Amino acid sequence: RHPGWPARLGPLRVAAGLLEVRKPRLSDAAAWSRIRRRDRRHLEAWEPTTPGDWDANNAALAWPGQWSTLRALARRGMSLPFVVTVDGQVAGQVTVGNIVRGSLCSAWIGYWVGTHAVRGGVATAAAALVVDHCFFNAGLHRLEATVRPENAPSIRVLTKLGFREEGLFRRYLDVAGTWRDHLCFALTTEDVPSGLIAKLVADGRAARA
Ligand code: ACO
């Protein structure tokens, strides 16, 4: 077993409802697919390009493959993949990937939230739960979030959490069909000795439930 996996995080009360973070389930297929297919225009401009067709890649039939890949990576200690629920319904995902241990103890964090649940503090609170889990339970020291400079809502999420902008990575990631510049934001354990949930609660953005 790798530190920090499996895990169940929350609940937290946010504007959108009662938020929980848990491991992906095979039975998430229908809800996951319905949101991802409906929200193609909302998601595609910001996510890594995947070969093939959006509807096929996000069909309910595509979920078992994704789910088992995520589970295998988590079991090997390389990833911490989470599904976010609001009032018990799937709202999005938060994934910690490329976990490197040793003298780096670092990983990236990424997230998406469906249009039915945006602007209610979901991404911010879910990321805060996952960051605290990484720092306090999974033994990580640093988390990086890379975001396109055009992605104002995501930059706002990182700013609310207190991530520090550290630089611009040129032509960093293949997103929406071409190599896109990304801003790199980061946080280390020293930045948040009492954790991000404590900060969100103090800022009035979430309440422990
Ligand atoms: N311009 C500026 N700010 C905006 C805009 C906009 N067009 N739209 C929303 N915002 C603000 C909101 O007002 C809110 O800030 P506030 O609390 O100060 O009012 C903030 O952005 C969003 O905060 P949350 O409500 O916590 O986030 P939400 O649950 O809405 O999810 C997310 C944000 C994840 C970016 C969602 O819009 C999404 O899934 N987008 C598509 C996929 C994506 O971009 N994922 C992130 C990729 S980068 C990465 O993973 C590091």
Side-chain angles (χ1 to χ4, degrees):
R1 277 225 173 156
H2 291 277
W5 189 256
R8 230 193 140 88
L9 314 174
L12 282 180
R13 172 70 55 188
V14 297
L18 190 72
L19 181 144
E20 295 178 280
V21 170
R22 58 159 173 82
K23 66 181 186 178
R25 295 178 187 150
L26 197 49
S27 58
D28 290 326
W32 173 85
S33 172
R34 186 169 15 86
I35 299 167
R36 302 264 322 162
R37 287 171 79 148
R38 180 195 67 198
D39 287 347
R40 174 177 182 168
R41 282 165 54 86
H42 167 64
L43 299 168
E44 206 174 23
W46 316 115
E47 293 195 349
T49 307
T50 43
D53 172 71
W54 181 270
D55 279 341
N57 289 338
N58 292 285
L61 274 174
W63 176 249
Q66 289 217 22
W67 168 81
S68 78
T69 301
L70 294 174
R71 189 175 66 153
L73 289 171
R75 287 181 169 179
R76 283 155 58 199
M78 297 171 71
S79 175
L80 295 165
F82 294 105
V83 163
V84 182
T85 64
V86 174
D87 297 330
Q89 305 298 313
V90 174
Q93 287 177 271
V94 178
T95 308
V96 175
N98 200 24
I99 296 175
V100 181
R101 296 199 176 269
S103 47
L104 205 57
C105 284
S106 184
W108 55 251
I109 182 168
Y111 40 77
W112 66 267
V113 170
T115 48
H116 62 294
V118 290
R119 288 177 168 262
V122 173
T124 304
L129 284 166
V130 172
V131 168
D132 281 5
H133 180 66
C134 287
F135 286 171
F136 297 130
N137 304 320
L140 295 182
H141 169 251
R142 176 182 163 90
L143 286 169
E144 282 185 5
T146 53
V147 57
R148 293 183 60 187
E150 301 85 357
N151 194 345
S154 182
I155 290 173
R156 180 76 191 124
V157 167
L158 295 170
T159 305
K160 285 190 285 182
L161 292 171
F163 272 72
R164 169 177 56 247
E165 189 183 320
E166 294 194 336
L168 181 67
F169 293 171
R170 295 285 182 188
R171 296 175 290 282
Y172 175 67
L173 195 63
D174 184 356
V175 170
T178 189
W179 298 107
R180 309 280 185 179
D181 293 352
H182 279 68
L183 291 167
C184 179
F185 285 76
L187 200 65
T188 69
T189 53
E190 294 84 350
D191 297 320
V192 283
S194 352
L196 285 184
I197 296 304
K199 172 179 160 57
L200 285 197
V201 170
D203 292 349
R205 297 190 182 280
R208 295 178 208 275

